[in-house]
């Protein structure tokens, strides 16, 4: 299952902080049809019924079935820039 670094958890919580129901909201990762096309990240008020939910330190990430299979052995990390933008990155679990 996908895991989150401490930085990723902080970034996810910062991104969802402005949503009406911050307790249920999270980042949703949707896998692309073509494996080389990457992933789509969106702010989601809650998970879709078939989503897997990854929680770490109060941060919630929702994975559709394609993303769940592709990211099973990955770690999500993040870098927050001074301007408030966030850059997410994936790495293999150690």
């Amino acid at each position: 299952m996908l895991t989150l670094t401490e930085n990723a958890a902080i970034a996810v919580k910062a991104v969802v902080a402005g949503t009406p129901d911050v307790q249920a909201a999270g980042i949703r990762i949707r896998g692309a049809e073509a494996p080389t096309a990457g992933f789509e990240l969106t702010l989601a008020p809650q998970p879709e019924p078939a989503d897997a939910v990854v929680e770490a330190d109060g941060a919630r990430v929702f994975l559709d079935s394609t993303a769940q299979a592709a990211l099973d052995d990955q770690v999500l990390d993040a870098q927050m820039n001074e301007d408030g933008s966030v850059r997410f990155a994936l790495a293999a679990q150690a």
Side-chain angles (χ1 to χ4, degrees):
M1 178 66 74
L2 176 74
T3 59
L4 280 67
T5 65
E6 182 178 341
N7 285 343
I10 291 168
V12 169
K13 288 188 289 188
V15 169
V16 302
T19 61
D21 187 1
V22 70
Q23 299 300 323
I27 298 293
R28 186 165 193 264
I29 302 176
R30 187 173 70 86
E33 297 296 322
T36 57
F39 300 94
E40 176 184 312
L41 275 71
T42 56
L43 182 60
Q46 61 192 23
E48 295 292 323
D51 286 351
V53 179
V54 176
E55 295 188 60
D57 297 323
R60 297 180 60 170
V61 176
F62 314 134
L63 305 170
D64 78 353
S65 59
T66 304
Q68 184 179 356
L71 302 177
D72 186 49
D73 62 349
Q74 299 289 303
V75 175
L76 182 67
D77 194 13
Q79 177 182 352
M80 293 183 64
N81 299 316
E82 291 180 17
D83 65 0
S85 64
V86 177
R87 181 179 199 141
F88 289 101
L90 293 166
Q93 290 181 10

